[in-house]
Structures are given as C-alpha cells and as structure tokens.
Amino acid sequence: MALSRRSFMAAAGAAALYGASPMARAQQNWPERNVRLLVPYPAGGSSDIIARAVSQPLSESLKQTVIVDNRPGANGNLGAAIVAQSGEDRHTLLLCDVGALMISPSVYTKLNFDPNKDLRGVSMLAYSPHILAVHPSVPVNTLAELVALSKKERLNFAVTAMGSAPHVAGVAVEQATQAQWQYVPYKGGSQAITDTIGGQTQIIMNGMLATLPHIQSGKLKAIAVSSRNRMPQVPNVPTIAESGVAGFESGTWQGLMAPASMPPEVAARLSKDLARIMNIPDLKAKLAEQGADVVTMTPADMDKWLLAERQRWAAVVRKADIRLD
C-alpha cells in the first residue's frame, strides 16, 4: 500500500533522526520536558527579575514550560552546585550573576564544584552597574565625603553576602580610598536593601536593577555608580571612576549557564533564542528604565569573558585576603 505524503515525510524524518549523531539527536529532542531556571538567590533581586522576565517568552520558544526556581544559600553557590552536579540532566539551568560566580573559586576554600569545568556558558543576558548608596540620614553626598565620614564613625556596609560581587567591589573601593567600613552580609540583595532603607545599615552597594526604584523614591541616596560611564537613569550621579577611583568598573552581569554536559549545538540554539528574547523591544525598554542594559554573547565568547573575570577579581581577593569555608 502506498504511503501518504504525510506518512512518508514522518517516516523519512524518523529515519534521519535515527541515523543522526547522538549530539544531533540531542539537539532535535531538547527540551523533552519542563525546563527549570534555577536562580540561586531570594526573590526580588536582579537575577530573579531577569528570570521572570524571560521565562514566558522562553517557554513559548521552547514549547515547554519554563519554571523559575529560587534556591538561595552560600552566596549563590548552593544553587550553582545543584546545576553543576546535575550530570546528564540538561533541563536544569542556572540564571545568576555570572561575574559573582567567577569570584567564588578565589574566595571559598571548600567549593564543591568548579564553575569553569562543571558549567558552560550559554548566553549573557544583561548588565547593570552596582550603585553605591546610603540611607538618606547619612550626611554625605559624594564618595570623598563618605570616605571621610567612615574614618570618624562606624558605618555598616550591607552586602548580599561575604565574597559576593558587591562585597568584593566594595573592598576594591575601600582599598583604593582607604575607607573604613564594616561589612554586614545578607542572603540576598533584597534583604540588604530593606535593612538599609530601614536604617539598620548605612551603606549599600548593589545591582542597579533592584536598587534604582528605591533611589527614585527617595528611600536611598545615590553616591556613585560603578559603570564606565554615567547612567541615563541617574545622570547627575557620578561614576566611581569620576569620584577618584580611576578605571573602576563593576556590576552585575546576568547570564545563563548550563551543566557542562550540554552539547554545544543545544547551547548555541538556546543562546540564539535568548538573544532574540532579550532584544524584544518592550522587554529591552523595561529593563533599560530600571538601569539594565541588554548584553548578549555566544557561548564561546561568554566562556572567554568568564575566565577573564575570574582572573581579574582573584587579584582583589588575594590583596584583601578574603577566604571563606
């Protein structure tokens, strides 16, 4: 009996898939079930904001439900380890501040995974600078005034966690200016912001994406931004470099990483999907309003960037002798 055209095409497709290489079959089959975007921080931070912004359009692109799963702990390393140790399960992905992840190997003596070996870059998503801010009651308006005040009275500096990107960036500013402040660690940026707004801490350095609304509402007072150039959302706020720390630049680099077992073809396909999603005009504009620039990279470019960041911040960590178990 003659096959219909539809049956013939289905049979031909099945034969082609059967004869394809394992990597080609993996690319065609993935994803086979729901995809989990694991965010290793509490809800409300920069990574969580990005994850929830991309989850629905990514679900539509992949034709599978994308679930955001917050797993805070150990400065993001708890969630990162879950993905790094997931082996052949390529349906659990990591969305985090990838710059902070590259700091961890220099800080933690007992890190039970290696970000450069156990994870692979998929795509950078967005960059937002750190914003250095104080409680409105702190009688300073510039970095120089803040440094001078820190030498006269105790100032508590809220950070998302010891060894986090905002912490190490704060240390770099402290090293360059001889400031004297005391770091108070939290389990994520949202609680650090809350306590600084409440006056329990006086200084915060955190991602602009999560912090800018509180600057705009007057609950926090901006001192400087860590970007190379001033941000249009706060044009009157100088950069840290302008404020006396020449060449300074830091920030939160939101990116997506996968287990090292993910085939390159799958990573490349997912990277293209994410680049398209991040450049959807409404999404891009919404993030820009909050101080985040869309920045996308191929997996290969992202891996090179991650290695360079790891080397750059290792020097700061060594000088400050920051070591955590």
Coordinates of all heavy atoms in Angstrom, one line a residue, residues 209-262:
L209 N 19.6 47.3 38.9 CA 18.3 46.8 38.5 C 17.3 46.7 39.7 O 16.1 47.1 39.6 CB 18.4 45.5 37.8 CG 17.1 44.9 37.2 CD1 16.5 45.8 36.2 CD2 17.5 43.5 36.6
A210 N 17.8 46.2 40.8 CA 17.0 46.0 42.0 C 17.0 47.2 42.9 O 16.1 47.4 43.7 CB 17.5 44.8 42.8
T211 N 18.0 48.1 42.8 CA 18.1 49.2 43.7 C 17.6 50.6 43.2 O 17.1 51.4 44.0 CB 19.6 49.4 44.0 OG1 20.2 48.2 44.4 CG2 19.8 50.4 45.2
L212 N 17.6 50.8 41.9 CA 17.1 52.1 41.3 C 15.8 52.5 41.8 O 15.6 53.7 42.1 CB 17.2 52.0 39.8 CG 16.8 53.3 39.1 CD1 17.8 54.4 39.5 CD2 16.9 53.1 37.6
P213 N 14.7 51.6 41.9 CA 13.4 52.1 42.3 C 13.5 52.8 43.7 O 12.7 53.8 43.9 CB 12.6 50.9 42.3 CG 13.2 49.9 41.3 CD 14.7 50.2 41.5
H214 N 14.3 52.4 44.5 CA 14.4 52.9 45.9 C 15.2 54.3 45.9 O 15.0 55.1 46.8 CB 15.0 51.9 46.8 CG 14.3 50.6 46.8 ND1 13.1 50.4 47.3 CD2 14.7 49.4 46.3 CE1 12.7 49.2 47.1 NE2 13.7 48.5 46.5
I215 N 16.1 54.4 44.9 CA 16.8 55.7 44.7 C 15.7 56.7 44.2 O 15.6 57.9 44.7 CB 17.9 55.6 43.7 CG1 19.0 54.5 44.1 CG2 18.5 56.9 43.4 CD1 19.7 54.9 45.3
Q216 N 14.9 56.3 43.2 CA 14.0 57.2 42.6 C 12.9 57.6 43.6 O 12.3 58.7 43.5 CB 13.3 56.5 41.4 CG 14.3 56.3 40.2 CD 13.8 55.4 39.1 OE1 13.0 54.5 39.3 NE2 14.3 55.7 37.9
S217 N 12.6 56.7 44.5 CA 11.5 57.0 45.5 C 12.1 57.9 46.7 O 11.3 58.3 47.5 CB 10.9 55.7 46.1 OG 11.8 55.0 46.9
G218 N 13.4 58.0 46.8 CA 14.0 58.8 47.9 C 14.3 58.0 49.1 O 14.7 58.5 50.1
K219 N 14.0 56.7 49.1 CA 14.3 55.9 50.2 C 15.8 55.6 50.4 O 16.2 55.2 51.5 CB 13.5 54.5 50.1 CG 12.0 54.7 50.2 CD 11.3 53.4 50.0 CE 9.8 53.5 50.0 NZ 9.1 52.2 49.7
L220 N 16.6 55.7 49.4 CA 18.0 55.6 49.4 C 18.6 56.8 48.6 O 18.0 57.3 47.7 CB 18.5 54.3 48.8 CG 18.2 53.0 49.5 CD1 18.5 51.8 48.7 CD2 18.8 52.9 50.9
K221 N 19.8 57.2 49.0 CA 20.5 58.3 48.4 C 21.7 57.8 47.6 O 22.6 57.2 48.2 CB 20.9 59.4 49.4 CG 21.7 60.6 48.8 CD 21.9 61.7 49.9 CE 22.5 61.2 51.2 NZ 22.7 62.4 52.1
A222 N 21.7 58.0 46.3 CA 22.8 57.5 45.4 C 24.1 58.4 45.6 O 24.0 59.6 45.7 CB 22.4 57.6 44.0
I223 N 25.2 57.7 45.7 CA 26.5 58.4 45.8 C 27.3 58.3 44.5 O 27.9 59.2 44.0 CB 27.3 57.8 47.0 CG1 26.6 58.0 48.3 CG2 28.7 58.4 47.1 CD1 26.3 59.4 48.7
A224 N 27.3 57.1 44.0 CA 28.1 56.8 42.7 C 27.6 55.5 42.1 O 27.1 54.7 42.7 CB 29.6 56.8 43.0
V225 N 27.9 55.4 40.8 CA 27.6 54.2 40.0 C 28.9 53.6 39.6 O 29.9 54.3 39.4 CB 26.7 54.4 38.8 CG1 25.3 54.8 39.3 CG2 27.2 55.4 37.9
S226 N 28.9 52.3 39.4 CA 30.2 51.5 39.1 C 30.4 51.3 37.6 O 31.3 50.6 37.2 CB 30.2 50.2 39.8 OG 29.2 49.3 39.2
S227 N 29.5 51.9 36.8 CA 29.7 51.7 35.3 C 30.8 52.6 34.8 O 31.3 53.5 35.5 CB 28.4 52.1 34.6 OG 27.9 53.3 35.1
R228 N 31.3 52.3 33.6 CA 32.3 53.1 33.0 C 31.9 54.5 32.7 O 32.6 55.5 32.8 CB 32.8 52.4 31.7 CG 34.0 53.0 31.0 CD 34.4 52.1 29.8 NE 34.7 50.8 30.2 CZ 34.9 49.8 29.3 NH1 34.9 50.0 28.0 NH2 35.2 48.6 29.8
N229 N 30.6 54.6 32.3 CA 30.0 56.0 32.0 C 28.8 56.2 32.9 O 28.2 55.2 33.4 CB 29.6 56.1 30.5 CG 30.8 55.8 29.6 OD1 31.8 56.5 29.7 ND2 30.7 54.9 28.7
R230 N 28.4 57.4 33.0 CA 27.2 57.7 33.8 C 26.0 57.0 33.2 O 25.9 56.8 32.0 CB 27.0 59.2 33.9 CG 28.0 60.0 34.7 CD 27.5 61.4 35.0 NE 28.5 62.1 35.7 CZ 28.3 63.2 36.5 NH1 27.1 63.7 36.6 NH2 29.3 63.8 37.1
M231 N 25.0 56.7 34.0 CA 23.8 56.1 33.6 C 22.7 57.1 33.3 O 22.5 58.0 34.1 CB 23.3 55.1 34.6 CG 24.3 53.9 34.9 SD 24.6 52.9 33.5 CE 23.0 52.0 33.3
P232 N 22.0 57.0 32.2 CA 21.0 58.0 31.8 C 19.8 58.0 32.8 O 19.2 59.1 32.9 CB 20.5 57.5 30.4 CG 20.9 56.1 30.3 CD 22.2 56.0 31.1
Q233 N 19.6 56.9 33.6 CA 18.5 56.9 34.5 C 18.8 57.8 35.7 O 17.9 58.3 36.4 CB 18.3 55.5 35.0 CG 17.8 54.5 34.0 CD 19.0 54.0 33.2 OE1 20.2 54.3 33.4 NE2 18.7 53.1 32.2
V234 N 20.1 58.0 36.0 CA 20.6 58.9 37.1 C 21.7 59.8 36.6 O 22.9 59.6 37.1 CB 21.0 58.1 38.4 CG1 19.8 57.6 39.1 CG2 21.8 56.9 38.0
P235 N 21.5 60.7 35.7 CA 22.5 61.4 35.0 C 23.4 62.3 35.9 O 24.5 62.6 35.6 CB 21.8 62.2 34.0 CG 20.4 62.4 34.5 CD 20.1 61.1 35.2
N236 N 22.8 62.7 37.1 CA 23.5 63.5 38.0 C 24.4 62.8 39.0 O 25.1 63.4 39.8 CB 22.6 64.5 38.7 CG 21.9 65.4 37.8 OD1 22.4 65.9 36.8 ND2 20.6 65.7 38.1
V237 N 24.3 61.4 38.9 CA 25.1 60.6 39.8 C 26.5 60.3 39.1 O 26.5 59.6 38.1 CB 24.4 59.3 40.2 CG1 25.3 58.5 41.1 CG2 23.1 59.7 40.9
P238 N 27.6 60.7 39.7 CA 28.9 60.4 39.1 C 29.3 58.9 39.1 O 28.7 58.2 39.9 CB 29.9 61.2 39.9 CG 29.2 61.3 41.2 CD 27.8 61.4 41.0
T239 N 30.2 58.5 38.3 CA 30.7 57.2 38.4 C 31.7 57.1 39.5 O 32.2 58.2 40.0 CB 31.4 56.8 37.1 OG1 32.6 57.6 36.9 CG2 30.5 56.9 35.9
I240 N 32.1 55.9 39.9 CA 33.1 55.8 41.0 C 34.4 56.2 40.4 O 35.3 56.8 41.1 CB 33.1 54.3 41.5 CG1 31.8 54.0 42.2 CG2 34.4 54.0 42.3 CD1 31.7 52.6 42.7
A241 N 34.7 56.0 39.1 CA 35.9 56.4 38.5 C 36.0 57.9 38.5 O 37.1 58.5 38.8 CB 36.0 55.9 37.1
E242 N 34.9 58.6 38.2 CA 34.9 60.1 38.3 C 35.1 60.6 39.7 O 35.6 61.7 39.9 CB 33.6 60.6 37.8 CG 33.3 60.6 36.4 CD 31.9 61.2 36.1 OE1 30.9 60.5 36.2 OE2 31.9 62.4 35.7
S243 N 34.7 59.7 40.7 CA 34.8 60.1 42.1 C 36.2 59.9 42.7 O 36.3 60.0 43.9 CB 33.7 59.4 42.9 OG 32.4 59.7 42.3
G244 N 37.1 59.5 41.9 CA 38.5 59.4 42.4 C 39.1 58.0 42.3 O 40.3 57.9 42.7
V245 N 38.4 57.0 41.9 CA 39.0 55.6 41.8 C 39.1 55.4 40.3 O 38.3 54.8 39.6 CB 38.1 54.6 42.5 CG1 38.8 53.2 42.4 CG2 37.7 55.0 43.9
A246 N 40.2 55.8 39.7 CA 40.5 55.8 38.3 C 40.3 54.4 37.7 O 40.8 53.4 38.3 CB 41.8 56.3 38.0
G247 N 39.6 54.3 36.6 CA 39.4 53.0 35.9 C 38.5 52.0 36.6 O 38.3 50.9 36.1
F248 N 37.8 52.4 37.6 CA 37.0 51.4 38.3 C 35.7 51.1 37.5 O 35.1 51.9 36.9 CB 36.5 52.0 39.7 CG 35.8 51.0 40.6 CD1 36.5 50.2 41.4 CD2 34.4 50.8 40.4 CE1 35.8 49.2 42.2 CE2 33.8 49.9 41.2 CZ 34.5 49.1 42.1
E249 N 35.4 49.8 37.5 CA 34.2 49.3 36.9 C 33.8 48.0 37.5 O 34.6 47.1 37.7 CB 34.4 49.1 35.4 CG 33.1 48.7 34.6 CD 33.2 48.6 33.1 OE1 34.4 48.6 32.7 OE2 32.2 48.5 32.4
S250 N 32.5 47.9 37.8 CA 32.0 46.6 38.4 C 30.5 46.6 38.0 O 30.0 47.5 37.4 CB 32.2 46.4 39.9 OG 31.4 47.4 40.6
G251 N 29.8 45.5 38.4 CA 28.4 45.4 38.2 C 27.9 44.0 38.3 O 28.7 43.1 38.5
T252 N 26.6 43.9 38.0 CA 26.0 42.5 38.0 C 25.8 42.2 36.5 O 25.2 42.9 35.7 CB 24.7 42.5 38.7 OG1 23.7 43.3 38.1 CG2 24.9 42.9 40.2
W253 N 26.4 41.0 36.1 CA 26.3 40.5 34.8 C 25.4 39.3 34.8 O 25.8 38.2 35.2 CB 27.7 40.1 34.3 CG 28.6 41.3 34.1 CD1 29.4 41.9 35.0 CD2 28.8 42.0 32.8 NE1 30.1 42.9 34.4 CE2 29.8 43.0 33.1 CE3 28.3 41.9 31.6 CZ2 30.2 43.9 32.2 CZ3 28.7 42.8 30.6 CH2 29.7 43.8 30.9
Q254 N 24.2 39.5 34.5 CA 23.2 38.4 34.5 C 23.4 37.5 33.3 O 23.5 38.0 32.1 CB 21.8 38.9 34.5 CG 21.5 39.9 35.6 CD 21.8 39.3 37.0 OE1 21.5 38.1 37.2 NE2 22.3 40.1 37.9
G255 N 23.6 36.2 33.5 CA 23.8 35.3 32.4 C 23.2 33.9 32.7 O 22.8 33.6 33.8
L256 N 23.1 33.1 31.6 CA 22.6 31.7 31.8 C 23.7 30.7 31.6 O 24.5 30.8 30.6 CB 21.5 31.5 30.7 CG 20.7 30.2 31.0 CD1 19.6 30.4 32.0 CD2 20.0 29.7 29.7
M257 N 23.8 29.8 32.5 CA 24.8 28.7 32.4 C 24.1 27.4 32.4 O 22.9 27.3 33.0 CB 25.8 28.8 33.5 CG 26.6 30.2 33.4 SD 28.0 30.3 34.6 CE 29.2 29.3 33.6
A258 N 24.7 26.4 31.9 CA 24.2 25.0 31.9 C 25.2 24.0 32.4 O 26.4 24.3 32.5 CB 23.8 24.7 30.4
P259 N 24.8 22.8 32.7 CA 25.7 21.8 33.0 C 26.7 21.6 31.9 O 26.4 21.8 30.7 CB 24.9 20.5 33.2 CG 23.5 21.0 33.5 CD 23.4 22.3 32.7
A260 N 27.9 21.2 32.2 CA 29.0 21.1 31.2 C 28.6 20.0 30.2 O 29.1 20.0 29.1 CB 30.3 20.7 31.9
S261 N 27.7 19.1 30.5 CA 27.3 18.0 29.6 C 26.4 18.5 28.5 O 26.2 17.8 27.5 CB 26.6 16.9 30.4 OG 25.4 17.4 31.0
M262 N 25.9 19.7 28.6 CA 25.0 20.2 27.5 C 25.8 20.3 26.2 O 26.8 20.9 26.1 CB 24.4 21.6 27.8 CG 23.6 22.1 26.7 SD 22.7 23.7 27.1 CE 21.2 23.0 27.9

